[in-house]
Amino acid sequence: MIYRAYLCFCLLASTLISSRSLADEFSYLTISSQAEPFQIIGHSNKGIITDILSEAIHGSDIQLKYYAYPFTRYIRTMHKGTHTNWISYGSPAWKEPAKARIQSKNLSNEKLFDVSHVLVIRHDSDFIFNSINDLFKITVVTLTGFNYPGVDKYLSNEKIEHIEVSSHKRALTIIENRRAVAFIAMKKRAMYSIKVDKFDPSVFKFINFSSVIPTYPIHLSYSDNVNNKTRHDIDTAIVSMKEAGRIDEIINFYLGQSKR
């Protein structure tokens, strides 16, 4: 009788420990290419968003299991429910294409940082930008799977001629070789690629593109099953990191403006 009661207790304790372990483990979904410097695969420096999230959960019961997918499969796994509890990143600005909205369905209350867009052109280019209409006369470079609020409709109806590529390095090479006039890019990502891919910075110049794509925030994003306590705890940690200047320090490190 005593042995049976002890056995039941062990089974119950094992179940509770297992349930808690599962509740605290989350799948961190990353994009295997194109997401640099937000997420960097196969490198000791794992990216701005990954570093922010890792620091935010440090010392907590939250455990991350990393998964990397090409962008199309990354979105597909979200729709299929491959991972019950996942964390990634998104933005309220990313509404198109419709299938990609799931990435930004459940966002953290606290934004991580803002991003702005630029047109990357050759420094010796005579291209002048005043409005979206100026893009109707040239060839631009875009990235596969990326959202370009305010521009997507012109890309889909081919009013803007564009070359679609899979990496920032390829996009910058096209501009460098004069195969297109402008690359529509997030400023942070363009700066990072110029640094790590060892382009000569003097070859390029940036044109502010905020009149077409306004500055917008980047947040952490969650699957439906991620509980409110986890989200709140991460938000609280992000607030503390902002107040301490840690998020700015992480961003500046990846853009080559500071050291660890």
Side-chain angles (χ1 to χ4, degrees):
M1 186 72 177
I2 295 174
Y3 175 76
R4 185 176 298 173
Y6 175 73
L7 183 61
C8 290
F9 171 79
C10 289
L11 288 171
L12 178 61
S14 175
T15 300
L16 289 172
I17 291 170
S18 176
S19 298
R20 177 164 180 78
S21 175
L22 287 173
D24 290 339
E25 184 174 276
F26 298 88
S27 299
Y28 177 52
L29 304 187
T30 66
I31 302 169
S32 56
S33 63
Q34 298 182 328
E36 303 88 348
F38 296 166
Q39 295 173 324
I40 303 172
I41 309 304
H43 196 281
S44 57
N45 297 316
K46 299 182 182 299
I48 294 171
I49 291 172
T50 306
D51 283 4
I52 292 171
L53 176 59
S54 296
E55 188 164 325
I57 66 172
H58 181 73
S60 74
D61 292 330
I62 299 170
Q63 298 177 9
L64 299 180
K65 192 169 183 180
Y66 287 63
Y67 295 88
Y69 301 106
F71 181 76
T72 301
R73 188 178 171 197
Y74 164 87
I75 294 296
R76 193 185 306 133
T77 62
M78 293 178 177
H79 281 286
K80 289 174 64 178
T82 305
H83 304 280
T84 305
N85 287 324
W86 58 258
I87 301 175
S88 194
Y89 74 98
S91 172
W94 295 345
K95 298 176 182 178
E96 299 295 337
K99 65 180 180 180
R101 291 176 191 168
I102 191 168
Q103 182 184 0
S104 303
K105 181 182 176 184
N106 301 304
L107 298 174
S108 58
N109 288 329
E110 284 295 321
K111 70 177 181 180
L112 305 181
F113 50 82
D114 291 320
V115 293
S116 60
H117 282 70
V118 295
L119 296 177
V120 184
I121 67 172
R122 280 189 60 95
H123 192 270
D124 56 6
S125 172
D126 59 1
F127 175 71
I128 297 175
F129 175 76
N130 293 305
S131 72
I132 190 70
N133 294 333
D134 295 313
L135 299 188
F136 300 162
K137 311 166 190 174
I138 65 170
T139 300
V140 304
V141 186
T142 60
L143 293 170
T144 304
F146 271 51
N147 293 274
Y148 296 94
V151 183
D152 281 326
K153 61 182 178 180
Y154 299 114
L155 297 173
S156 60
N157 66 18
E158 299 183 351
K159 200 161 187 179
I160 297 177
E161 182 178 341
H162 70 289
I163 301 171
E164 192 172 80
V165 298
S166 60
S167 71
H168 289 77
K169 183 178 181 180
R170 290 184 64 186
L172 291 167
T173 299
I174 287 173
I175 299 303
E176 185 178 44
N177 294 338
R178 305 178 194 274
R179 289 181 52 210
V181 174
F183 168 36
I184 305 174
M186 283 187 191
K187 186 176 181 181
K188 287 182 174 67
R189 282 177 162 162
M191 290 173 65
Y192 175 79
S193 184
I194 288 170
K195 181 190 77 164
V196 300
D197 294 320
K198 303 190 184 307
F199 287 98
D200 179 355
S202 67
V203 170
F204 306 102
K205 65 180 176 182
F206 295 167
I207 297 177
N208 190 313
F209 200 52
S210 60
S211 61
V212 177
I213 304 180
T215 297
Y216 60 75
I218 299 294
H219 295 246
L220 292 175
S221 63
Y222 304 103
S223 63
D224 292 338
N225 292 330
V226 176
N227 62 71
N228 290 332
K229 181 181 184 307
T230 296
R231 301 185 197 191
H232 177 267
D233 289 348
I234 293 175
D235 271 334
T236 300
I238 290 170
V239 170
S240 297
M241 291 175 68
K242 287 180 182 177
E243 291 174 347
R246 280 294 297 139
I247 290 181
D248 287 338
E249 288 175 2
I250 291 169
I251 291 170
N252 289 337
F253 167 74
Y254 282 95
L255 299 187
Q257 297 170 349
S258 69
K259 296 182 179 180
R260 287 287 194 194

